[in-house]
Amino acid sequence: MKGLSSLSRAVRRIILLILVCIALTYAATERAGHIDLFDADTLSYYLQFNQSNNKENDASVKHPYDVVVLYYAQWCQNCRSLSPMYIRIAEILKAGEAKSNIIMGYFDCEADYEHAVLCEQVGITHYPTLQYISLAPDHRLPHTQKKLPPHVTQFPGNWQVGESILDWIRTMSFLSQWHRASWGKALRQFLFAKSSYPQSSVSELPVGLPPQVANQKQLQAAEQALNSSQALVTRTSYYVDALLAPMPCRDNHCMTESATNITYIDAYGYLDRTAGWSSMTPSAQIVRSCVLEAVLDVCQRLQVQIAEVWLSQQKPIPQVEYLTQEQLERFEPETRQMMEEQEPYCLQIDQCIMKQLEPVEVCLPPTCPFQETYKCRYLTTCFVDAVQRDYADALGVEWKPHGSISEPTAQKKQETKQQGEEQAPKKQKWGLF
C-alpha cells in the first residue's frame, strides 16, 4: 500500500508538471496546483509598477502575503529542468493557500512586448531568475540590486540546488512576516504561531489581481470602452455629415460636382495651394495626416469590396481557405484590373506612402484624384473642427480653428517651403506617417 501511495503521489506530480507545461505554452493566467501563471498586469501590480509608464507607484500595495516569481522563456532548457523542483517547493510551502502567506508563480519574459519590457524593468538578464516580492508595508529587503524596487530581492544562489531555494524563500518569508508586526506582536506570533493579520475565512490567496484591484480595472476598462464607443459614434456622424452635406468651399479651394452642382472644399486642392504637402506648420500637418489616412481608408474598403465581388463571380462560390492554385494565380491580376477601372489612384497610394509621396506629379495631384466624387466628399471630414482637434492631440501640435486659415501669398508660400526644407533637409515627415 505504501508503494502504491508513493506511486500515486509521483503520478500526481507528473500530471501537475504536464499541466503547468501546457499552461506555460499558452501563457494563460490561472493557477495550476500551487503554481500561478502571472500576466503583465498582475506582476506589475505586485512590483508596484504603473503600467502606463512602468515607473514605481506609491507604496500602496500592502497584503498579508508575499510573491515568488520564476522568470523564464519557452526555449530555456534550464527553466524546464528547474520546473519540477519549483513545483515541489510550492507543494511543500502550500503556496496559494491562505495559511501559507505566499504565492509562487511563473512569468514568461518573451510572451509579448509588454512582458519583455516588464522583465527589462526588473533587471532580468538570464533565465531562470527567481525574485522574492515582499508586500509588507515599507519593507526593504536585503541584497536588492540597483535596478530592483526596494521590496524585491533576487535569488543569489545556485538554481540547481532545490534546498537552497527552499531555505531562501523561507528566510525571506520570515523576514517579511516579522516586519509586518511590531516587536511584541512578532514575538507572540513566533511563540504562539498567531498571525498579526486578522484571520480570513478564505482558504486560497487570490489568483491574479486581488478582487478589489481587478474590479477597479474592469470598471476602468468599461469606462474606456464606453468613451471609445461614444467617440466612434461621434466620428461616424462626421463621416455621414461629410457625405450628405460636405464642408462648404472657402478660400477658392473648391470643387463642384457636375451631377448635383454641389460645391465644397477640395482637400487636395487646399493642400496644393497652401503648400500643405511640404509645410511643417501645425495646420498643414493636421490636414495632411487626416487626408492621407482617409484616402487609405477609402482604398482599403474598396479593396475588400472588390475581393468580395471577385469571389462572388467564381462558380461555384469558394471559401477563401479553399481557393485552388489556379484561382489564387488569377486573383491578384483580376482584382488589380477591377481596381484600375474603379479607382486607379488606390493602386498608386501604397507605393506613394512607401516612397515619401514621390513622384509628386503622381502622388500629389492638384485636385481630388478619386473618380467617384462621393469619396472626395469623404475627405472634407478633415476640415471639421472636432476631427482636427483629435489629430492635433495625436500629433502633439497646437490646433487653431480652421476659420483662421487663409490662402498664403506667393512670398509666404516660398517662405513656408524653405522652412520645411530646413527642418527636414533629406526627407519630409508626413504627419502620422
Side-chain angles (χ1 to χ4, degrees), residues 39-57 107 112-115 117-118 121 209 217 220:
D39 61 359
D41 283 342
T42 302
L43 188 59
S44 293
Y45 171 75
Y46 287 133
L47 289 169
Q48 301 178 25
F49 281 168
N50 187 333
Q51 277 297 89
S52 61
N53 56 18
N54 270 341
K55 294 181 180 179
E56 289 183 55
N57 285 328
F107 188 75
D112 54 33
Y113 176 76
E114 190 176 15
H115 281 226
V117 170
L118 192 55
Q121 287 294 117
L209 291 172
K217 280 190 168 290
Q220 293 173 351

Side-chain angles (χ1 to χ4, degrees), residues 299 302-303 306-307 331-349 351 362 369-372 375:
C299 293
L302 180 59
Q303 189 174 21
I306 287 175
F331 175 78
E332 183 177 356
E334 291 181 6
T335 55
R336 187 178 180 84
Q337 178 62 32
M338 294 168 69
M339 180 70 80
E340 179 72 32
E341 294 171 357
Q342 294 190 41
E343 290 295 349
Y345 186 67
C346 286
L347 293 176
Q348 301 164 353
I349 190 61
Q351 292 297 319
V362 174
F370 289 125
Q371 295 186 3
E372 295 178 307
K375 296 168 185 170

Side-chain angles (χ1 to χ4, degrees), residues 90-108:
E91 291 175 347
I92 293 172
L93 298 176
K94 299 188 183 302
E97 297 183 11
K99 60 184 179 182
S100 71
N101 290 329
I102 194 167
I103 294 175
M104 295 177 62
Y106 293 93
F107 188 75
D108 185 353

